Amino acid sequence: MRIEYLIGLFLLPFTLLLSSCSNPEKERYEAYIKEGEDLAKTHCTTCHKESSPGLLDKKTWVFDVLPQMGPRLGMHKYKNLHYKSINPLAASKTPALKQEQWENIVDYFYYTSPDSLPEQEFDRKPSADCETFLTHPFTDGLSLSSVITVTKIDTLKQFVFAGDATNSTLYKFDYTGKLLDTMKLASPPTSMRIEPDYIDMTLAGILHPNNENRGQIVRYEYKGNFNSEKKEIILDSLYRPVASLYYDFNYDGLEDILVCEYGNDIGRLSLYTAIDKDYYKHVIIEDVAGSIMVKTHDFNNDGFMDIIALFAQGDEKVMIYYNDGKGDFLKKFSLAARFPSVYGSMYLDIHDFNKDGFMDIVYVNGDNFDFSQILKQYHGIRILENDGYNNFDEKYFYPVYGAGKAEIVDFDLDGDSDIIVSSNFADMKLNPERGIIYLENIGSYQFMPYSFAASAQNQWNNIAVADLDADGDQDVIVGAMNLENVFNMAKKNTKGASGENKSPLLILENKTY
């Protein structure tokens, strides 16, 4: 009752105004709302794309999101609601507008936003299970409370790896799910690279939002078995790195490292250019928090490898950085796509869906971890088609509450690319079986969707694909990232959730062959 009471108390004057039939009062109200809209367009778009009031409900705007935005503009209250302090690095020291103007903005969002968001609409609702996959737990060798932040498959040595953030441990399994080995890590893993004689682990430092540069990339000797004693710190002092990618961008014979230092209020997209095998030159491509995924492709067909990057954390966008041939990405870049700040960008991939020779963008949004933890109808997976000039237009959207990751593979071996989508924040009350969605490609940007009863047992994120049973088709392993367990980690409690059916690793065994 407290929230409803406060909203009524704050907004009583306009509630009374709206009940009046007087045309002058109605005109005054409409002018006031229009002024709030104009102020929002002026001040709220200085850092990110404009967010329509309809993207969130009234309560979430007034009590969760705008109290985070206000201090960034130097505004610290709305009527009698005083905002909690945010990180001084993010807060503005001087007000960007007058107090009455800020309250006008908040009133605009309140009066033009819905009481609740609509449900997701489907052209095709997911069918229950499908003949392509048989689902079952991959292993019984992990704690039910595991927060799986890395899944990786070594197809050469035939091992499956899972990184658990609750205890900063890397597990190694055989293809049947038998636990073979474990290795303790310095902090939660977020990315992994496998080479014949070593593995590189990207470590977050601290998994939860923070501004400390405690992340690392650590190289361990790996000859089939872990050797935690023989390790080398490749990069240090990283701001919560979440993804890393290796390539010789300046073509000097030495491998460079591209790192998404997601951070929180501080973060950056960094290129570490190898000078020799022991030293890297640090170049900041984007000095902003929120870089979350990177891929490489020669987008302008000049023979040099370019970078495409996804940013979350406020200004949610996809950027392409063009390589000048010497590993310099600061001279030419372009904005490929931009999204409202509440979209919750999670993952990016590139794939030529229409087979015209140009890479399209696969964009996944569904982050619900921060200030607006409600089901959002615009969460899901999108395909943005490349027109051949690196201009991208949305050609396909499939709604998936809390969508987290995606893998693009021809799973049914019919010659086109299908998609597996995981959900970190599915509708666990009404449709928990939609925690994993299989989109079977039926041509012309049309997909047949399937859900899985087995996915109802958990919340899912990381995906790895390989032919685990050597039958000629690709199987899928999905790792769980249960929100309750993540919160327990933040409270220094690693007991996590319990439940006999909650498996942290699920296998979708492909039965095409």
Side-chain angles (χ1 to χ4, degrees), residues 238-268:
L238 307 178
Y239 288 96
R240 196 159 61 129
V242 297
S244 55
L245 185 152
Y246 297 73
Y247 192 82
D248 180 9
F249 289 107
N250 58 0
Y251 305 97
D252 63 354
L254 298 173
E255 203 169 42
D256 312 310
I257 308 177
L258 185 64
V259 184
C260 292
E261 297 184 61
Y262 190 98
N264 187 30
D265 302 304
I266 301 174
R268 56 204 184 187

Side-chain angles (χ1 to χ4, degrees), residues 85 114 234 254 367 379 390:
S85 297
I234 303 300
L254 298 173
D367 184 12
H379 277 178
N390 297 323

Side-chain angles (χ1 to χ4, degrees), residues 133 148-153 160-161 190 293 295 347 349 364 381 403-409 411 418-424 435-438 452 460-466 474-481 504-508:
F133 294 104
I148 305 300
T149 49
V150 171
T151 53
K152 197 79 172 179
I153 300 175
V160 175
F161 296 94
T190 55
M293 179 53 59
K295 298 287 182 178
Y347 189 75
D349 207 344
V364 179
I381 182 168
K405 298 286 177 67
E407 283 289 334
I408 308 161
V409 173
F411 289 107
D418 312 303
I419 308 174
I420 289 283
V421 186
S422 64
S423 170
N424 243 144
I436 300 173
I437 297 291
Y438 169 50
F452 300 93
W460 305 97
N461 189 274
N462 287 282
I463 307 172
V465 175
Q474 297 295 299
D475 308 300
V476 184
I477 292 180
V478 189
M481 193 181 290
L505 283 175
L506 192 69
I507 182 170
L508 279 62

Side-chain angles (χ1 to χ4, degrees), residues 369-385:
F369 193 78
D370 292 324
F371 310 118
S372 55
Q373 297 176 13
I374 58 174
L375 297 174
K376 302 179 176 77
Q377 75 275 16
Y378 44 85
H379 277 178
I381 182 168
R382 289 168 170 82
I383 298 175
L384 312 180
E385 185 182 74

